[in-house]
Amino acid sequence: MSTHSEKAAAFIKDEARTNWHDGALWHVREKRDAAASLLPEWELLRNTASHIKDNVLANLDDYLIQFEAEAKKNGVVVHWAKDGKEHNQIVGQILQRSNAKKVVKSKSMLTEECKLNDFLEENDIEIIDTDLGERIIQMRKEEPSHVVLPAIHIKKEEVGELFHKELGTEEGNSDPTYLTKAARTHLRQRFFEADAAITGVNFGIAETGGVVVCTNEGNADMGCHSAAVQIHSMGIEKLLPKAEHLGVFTRLLARSATGQPTTIYTSHFQKPQKGKEMHIVIVDNGRSEQLGKEDFRNSLKCIRCGACMNTCPIYRRSGGHSYHATIPGPIGAILSPNRDLKKYSDLPFASTLCGSCSDVCPVKIDIHEQLYKWRQEIYKHHELPKSKSIPLRITGKIFENPSIFNSVGKIARSSLKHLPRFMVYNNLNGWGKQRELPEVPEYSFKEWYKKQKDE
Amino acid sequence: MRVGLFIPCYIDQFFPEVGIATLQLLEKQGCEVVFPEKQTCCGQPMANTGMEQEGKKIYADLAELFSDCKYIVGPSPSCVNHIREHYDIIEQTEAIRHLRKNAYDLVEFLVDVLKIDHLDASFPYKVGLHRSCHGLRGMHLSKPSELMCDIPLKWEKVLGLVEGVELAKLNRSDECCGFGGTFAVAEEAVSVKMGKDRLADHLANGVEVLTSGDMSCLMHLQGIAGRQKSGPRIVHLANILNGDKL
């Protein structure tokens, strides 16, 4: 499998497209800035959210037990899944018992993480993603490239072509209103036919046993209200202690995600409708392991707003798929190595550690510091490629010895000055592919200083 | 005031003029500047690649060299930030604690310690300031655009003391240039694309001279501008503040 760096290089080959992708996400980042700047209490909100999540993570066991008890009191069936496989089996069993063959789904990165769609399709159950972006990538048989804007990498002309092929829309018509209308008509039928609805969960409230789903299209509501069975898949870290804490997070979430003051629909599901079933599947899938790692625990505060992706100068120019993981971007680069250090050992290096992700994060996750720490773990676990570790070990040895440093520097400067260009600029010199090396000065600072002192 | 001059490895080897300007500027401000000649590097290249354990001896040696200086000042927020933030992995000897507590970036030192309010320098150009990430978000030498709180603008303050400087307004005030140490080579394509975009923003806003507190970012941008054979002149902040002429 190719690395982030290779995938990014392939993405950037189409420079006009890269500029378009970068511009689209930067536009969202600017909208976020405008929305955040209107709240004088913005930084206070971030602090408060971070502290609430500290409490949740420190007492997660208690809150989970409380949540389950309250949900049961409301008539909800609660299930526990240790990993993605168990999650899929549980969902499969619920659907099988209620003889559900057609399922609609809305807003869930967790089910992406568990690869639920593949599992259900293998078991002859039709599952339709109902949010526009998700539906587009489902038709293209792709994974989301962003947690909030899953089809941000696809241009409207491409959607026009896709819909022409899949939904029979007019050829060459890529008017967003026209296409959205076509998608709506297509999905409306699926809602009517659905036997069951699945949603993700933005927040679970321990105090009430209810779940909250934030969407802009209202599809979570449409599905849950029309189908006989509703299933909510929730990661263990999604809990908030009390309903009163919710306002802090909903105010931060929409502004950080898209610059909206609030999502169009903030839907609360607490008990099954009369004669219908409501299930909540609580999923670990590596989260408790992350919780046990002090340096990386904070990453579980993530509310999946995607702000770190929108701000990340690398993400904007390499696209979500270059991260070859369910959650891309800076937050994905600290979550993924927990799941598989070997497979994702390239991701913590897909960053300049510029720190913009940490400053934009609404729950104050120290993302760039965790990227730094993962790099140290990767070296410790011998997953750093030798092409990096050997030269840097040598460099380290040179820096340990001032006189060797001075002589090596002198030799390097003299070689750069006198070697023919092809000896310096070739495939071995990654710097020089598209950049000039600095001009070589007559003397180093140390040589100048020594001369001054001697005079 | 005894000030230890810290000159990062690549400035020593490739940009001695930045070291010279830093030294002269500090002396003009009345500091007694000493330069421990056995210094090499802060160890950041290894650490950012995940090999911080390999840098322990470098950290300890650097601290020893500066143990008798009241302040340690270097023209590089990136290296100074590394010393402050990441020298926590070795035994916190008195020398290490002293270094971490008293290491300053040049501009930060001028503003926070010397509290300068005038400079004998003029630079009649439209200047684009590259607000380098470690200085901006690591040390808060200016206000990151993501944060919604007041943070003093130290870089802008010192540039404001130089006669004739017209500070350009950029479309993206604090986007990373894409250098990132070994990132520049390991993620060559993204790195160069980021640098090209950074340069384009400065050019689109009529920048004649691009400056920054971090020479490493400038080295990367200069490398791209050099290959493109277009771009503004590139000068380290220390040279502008020292009154050096183009």
Side-chain angles (χ1 to χ4, degrees), chain A residues 39 41-42 44-46 48-49 52 203 205 207 212 214 240-255 260-263 266 268 303 362-363:
Chain A
L39 298 188
E41 69 275 31
W42 182 257
L44 176 65
L45 277 175
R46 290 177 70 223
T48 310
I52 293 170
F203 307 100
I205 314 293
E207 180 191 34
V212 178
C214 302
L240 297 179
K242 294 182 174 183
E244 70 187 49
H245 297 134
L246 193 60
V248 174
F249 290 88
T250 50
R251 295 184 80 198
L252 286 167
L253 175 65
R255 286 181 174 88
Q260 292 166 258
T262 184
T263 50
T266 300
H268 301 248
I303 57 172
V363 290

Side-chain angles (χ1 to χ4, degrees), chain A residues 97-254:
Chain A
R97 265 203 305 271
S98 50
N99 204 21
K101 284 287 170 201
K102 287 172 186 273
V103 182
V104 285
K105 190 177 79 177
S106 175
K107 284 290 163 201
S108 169
M109 286 306 289
L110 177 58
T111 56
E112 288 293 331
E113 182 184 315
C114 300
K115 308 264 178 272
L116 176 70
N117 287 16
D118 295 346
F119 174 83
L120 292 184
E121 277 158 17
E122 280 161 23
N123 287 281
D124 295 325
I125 295 173
E126 180 196 82
I127 179 155
I128 300 285
D129 281 307
T130 56
D131 306 294
L132 184 56
E134 278 83 348
R135 185 70 190 117
I136 292 168
I137 57 159
Q138 189 184 26
M139 283 180 181
R140 284 169 60 110
K141 301 191 188 344
E142 277 181 12
E143 296 197 341
S145 73
H146 188 288
V147 293
V148 174
L149 313 159
I152 190 71
H153 59 293
I154 301 163
K155 292 188 169 186
K156 64 177 196 278
E157 291 75 17
E158 292 164 312
V159 177
E161 266 173 56
L162 179 74
F163 279 13
H164 170 65
K165 210 171 76 193
E166 299 283 333
L167 303 177
T169 56
E170 212 175 281
E171 193 167 8
N173 194 335
S174 58
D175 173 56
T177 314
Y178 170 73
L179 294 177
T180 309
K181 217 169 162 184
R184 196 173 292 157
T185 311
H186 153 73
L187 288 167
R188 193 55 57 101
Q189 195 55 35
R190 299 300 190 279
F191 280 120
F192 285 138
E193 293 167 1
D195 305 308
I198 299 175
T199 83
V201 170
N202 290 90
F203 307 100
I205 314 293
E207 180 191 34
T208 65
V211 296
V212 178
V213 187
C214 302
T215 75
N216 273 328
E217 298 170 36
N219 295 330
D221 309 56
M222 290 271 278
C224 291
H225 292 162
S226 52
V229 177
Q230 69 187 86
I231 304 169
H232 305 281
S233 295
M234 179 179 87
I236 56 168
E237 83 285 15
K238 292 286 181 185
L239 289 189
L240 297 179
K242 294 182 174 183
E244 70 187 49
H245 297 134
L246 193 60
V248 174
F249 290 88
T250 50
R251 295 184 80 198
L252 286 167
L253 175 65

Side-chain angles (χ1 to χ4, degrees), chain B:
Chain B
M1 188 185 290
R2 194 176 161 84
V3 172
L5 181 63
F6 163 53
I7 297 298
C9 53
Y10 68 100
I11 291 185
D12 173 46
Q13 290 297 324
F14 289 109
F15 307 100
E17 73 280 4
V18 178
I20 295 167
T22 307
L23 173 67
Q24 291 175 345
L25 182 58
L26 289 170
E27 283 180 342
K28 272 193 247 171
Q29 295 295 326
C31 301
E32 179 204 345
V33 185
V34 292
F35 176 69
E37 289 177 62
K38 285 189 169 167
Q39 58 183 291
T40 58
C41 174
C42 68
Q44 190 175 196
M46 279 74 71
N48 278 3
T49 315
M51 301 167 66
E52 62 178 5
Q53 294 300 325
E54 309 282 334
K56 282 180 167 176
K57 185 175 180 320
I58 299 168
Y59 295 4
D61 289 350
L62 194 70
E64 276 309 318
L65 285 173
F66 286 108
S67 58
D68 62 346
C69 299
K70 184 164 184 201
Y71 295 102
I72 299 91
V73 180
S76 169
S78 181
C79 307
V80 172
N81 187 59
H82 180 68
I83 290 171
R84 275 194 202 159
E85 299 290 323
H86 295 139
Y87 276 29
D88 56 348
I89 57 151
I90 56 169
E91 193 196 335
Q92 297 299 290
T93 59
E94 202 179 320
I96 287 283
R97 275 187 283 123
H98 177 77
L99 176 66
R100 291 180 72 191
K101 195 167 156 234
N102 298 295
Y104 281 83
D105 165 62
L106 173 65
V107 168
E108 186 186 37
F109 185 71
L110 294 173
V111 174
D112 290 352
V113 180
L114 299 182
K115 301 189 195 306
I116 58 161
D117 52 19
H118 79 278
L119 274 169
D120 186 19
S122 89
F123 200 73
Y125 300 98
K126 187 162 183 180
V127 173
L129 172 64
H130 174 65
R131 309 200 300 164
S132 62
C133 304
H134 292 164
L136 177 68
R137 302 196 184 86
M139 298 172 72
H140 285 168
L141 299 180
S142 189
K143 193 189 95 66
S145 56
E146 300 89 13
L147 295 182
M148 302 297 155
C149 53
D150 289 331
I151 289 173
L153 312 179
K154 295 175 192 174
W155 281 321
E156 288 84 349
K157 181 189 158 79
V158 292
L159 272 173
L161 297 176
V162 180
E163 199 188 301
V165 164
E166 184 197 344
L167 197 58
K169 196 172 162 4
L170 301 170
N171 299 344
R172 299 185 187 181
S173 63
D174 51 18
E175 177 110 312
C176 175
C177 68
F179 171 65
T182 48
F183 176 89
V185 177
E187 289 264 2
E188 189 263 347
V190 194
S191 171
V192 169
K193 177 63 183 146
M194 287 166 70
K196 279 164 75 177
D197 291 352
R198 212 62 219 106
L199 280 172
D201 191 359
H202 284 269
L203 283 176
N205 287 288
V207 165
E208 295 170 288
V209 178
L210 199 168
T211 192
S212 171
D214 261 313
M215 198 61 225
S216 49
C217 307
L218 293 181
M219 174 173 74
H220 163 69
L221 292 170
Q222 194 169 44
I224 296 169
R227 181 63 59 90
Q228 290 179 344
K229 298 191 174 22
S230 72
R233 293 285 296 269
I234 289 177
V235 179
H236 191 278
L237 253 179
N239 296 97
I240 297 179
L241 303 181
N242 191 44
D244 295 353
K245 300 286 169 240
L246 270 192

Side-chain angles (χ1 to χ4, degrees), chain A residues 19 379 413 435 446 453, chain B residues 13 37 39 54 184 193:
Chain A
N19 291 340
Y379 178 60
R413 277 184 287 123
R435 278 169 294 220
K446 275 184 193 163
K453 217 172 59 177
Chain B
Q13 290 297 324
E37 289 177 62
Q39 58 183 291
E54 309 282 334
K193 177 63 183 146

